[in-house]
Structure formats: C-alpha cells, structure tokens
Amino acid sequence: MRIVVLDNDRSQTELISQVLTSAGHVCHAFQTGKELLGQLRKDSYDMLIFDWQVADMGGAELMRKAREKLNDGAPVMFLTTSSGEDDIVSGLDAGADDYMIKPLRRSEMVARVQALLRRAFPAQNGAEQLTFGQYVFETRPGRLLMDGHVLDVTHKEFYLALLFFRNIGRPLSRAYIHEAVWIRETEVPSRTMDTHVSRVRNKLQLKPENGFRLVPVYSYGYRLEKLGN
C-alpha cells in the first residue's frame, strides 16, 4: 500500500519509512503540511501517518484537508508524545483511526498499520468476491467473470482491472499503477503498462455501451469512468 508520512523531524519520517518499506509498503515522506497537501492533489495514497504537532498546520485541520484527497476509507494514524494526552483526545475526536506515542516501537508500528489497512481494504486481504455491475472479481483464486462468464486474464491484468474498479472516477498516476501492480519490478517500460491497460480494456469490453470507459489522463495516467446511472 502507498503511505504518506508527515513529521517535522526528518529522522522520524526516515525511520517510519524504513520500517514500513521493510513490511512491503511504499512510503512518501514530507516535513510540512503544505507540502503534503500539495502532493495529495496530484497522486493517490492509501494511508496517512502524521505528527499531530506539525509546525505549519493544526492537526485537526490537516487531517480534515487530507481526508478530502486520500483514497476512500484510507485510515489516518497520528503520532504524539507521552505528555500529549490532550492531543490524543483531540485527534480521536477529529476522527483519526489510531495513534502512537513516541518514541515509536517498530514491531508495534507494523502491527498497528497492518491492522488498520486490513480493516480499511478487506478486498486486498482475502475477500473472496467483489462485484462491480456485471463484473465479479474472485480475489482468492484470481478469477474474473463478466456476465457470469470467466474471462481469460493474466495475474497482472486481474489486479490491474481490480485497481481501476476500486478507484472508479479517480485518475491514477503511472507511478501509483506501477507500485500497486508491478510492486518491486523497478524497470517497467511505459509501453508495457500501456499494453496491459489496452488488454484490460479489450478483454473486459470497457466501452460506453457496457457502462464503463477506461481513458488515458494526459501526461499522468489512466481513469476508469462509470457512465450513466
């Protein structure tokens, strides 16, 4: 999953990023709220971890603005010190999903983050069936059906299609698609991604008469649009 980390202390963001990258996630670190919100306007992320006492913006305000731009249902966890009891109350009242007290403990952080992500995105944690109109994704065997008929898709085509359907109407950058589908394959030629997207479009018949349209977003990536009601 793609996680944004915000802390004025660069050593803290580096520590968190190192721990969560080792657990298989992709982390993007920021030192100011303004910088973070600017990036959220450009790209999609699945979770936010931030210091409640970030210098340039109040914790509640930052969380509210960030939630408007994060993926639907993305969990938010904030950090505070052992003396920050008021921060804990304020953060939970503002709608945060969890918190941790500094100094951070690596194993506890991984466990808490994994628990929040499992709860927020059950589709990626063993849910057997997801339905989007005439399309049914059976996640455990990796099988895709359209109108009850099994489609011949590869492993990557399955997860690429699922990524688009989980983000209907949201433009996805090439970087996000790359990290979500190709994961640790660092060198993925642009034409390779375009070819996979084209195959998904054709195999799933993502065209207006079927109620969906998979379109390129110029100089950015792709977006799956749902048409009509």
Side-chain angles (χ1 to χ4, degrees), residues 44 69-72 166-172 222-224:
S44 300
K69 300 173 179 64
L70 287 167
N71 286 349
D72 293 342
R166 287 185 60 241
N167 292 277
I168 289 175
R170 177 181 291 117
L172 301 180
Y222 291 91
R223 178 177 62 240
L224 179 62

Side-chain angles (χ1 to χ4, degrees), residues 36 62 141:
L36 167 71
L62 187 144

Side-chain angles (χ1 to χ4, degrees), residues 183-202:
I183 309 175
R184 292 180 176 82
E185 297 177 35
T186 56
E187 297 295 331
V188 178
S190 178
R191 63 182 179 276
T192 299
M193 183 180 297
D194 295 337
T195 298
H196 278 76
V197 170
S198 178
R199 288 175 180 166
V200 165
R201 183 189 291 114
N202 292 333

Side-chain angles (χ1 to χ4, degrees), residues 133-206:
Q134 66 267 52
Y135 301 97
V136 176
F137 292 81
E138 296 180 345
T139 60
R140 198 158 286 166
R143 193 168 70 153
L144 174 56
L145 297 86
M146 177 182 176
D147 294 324
H149 301 286
V150 177
L151 298 179
D152 181 17
V153 295
T154 66
H155 177 84
K156 280 189 170 59
E157 289 165 357
F158 176 89
Y159 284 103
L160 180 59
L162 181 57
L163 182 70
F164 284 129
F165 274 93
R166 287 185 60 241
N167 292 277
I168 289 175
R170 177 181 291 117
L172 301 180
S173 71
R174 285 179 173 274
Y176 183 49
I177 296 169
H178 177 193
E179 291 170 354
V181 178
W182 277 268
I183 309 175
R184 292 180 176 82
E185 297 177 35
T186 56
E187 297 295 331
V188 178
S190 178
R191 63 182 179 276
T192 299
M193 183 180 297
D194 295 337
T195 298
H196 278 76
V197 170
S198 178
R199 288 175 180 166
V200 165
R201 183 189 291 114
N202 292 333
K203 290 183 178 182
L204 276 66
Q205 302 176 46
L206 297 173

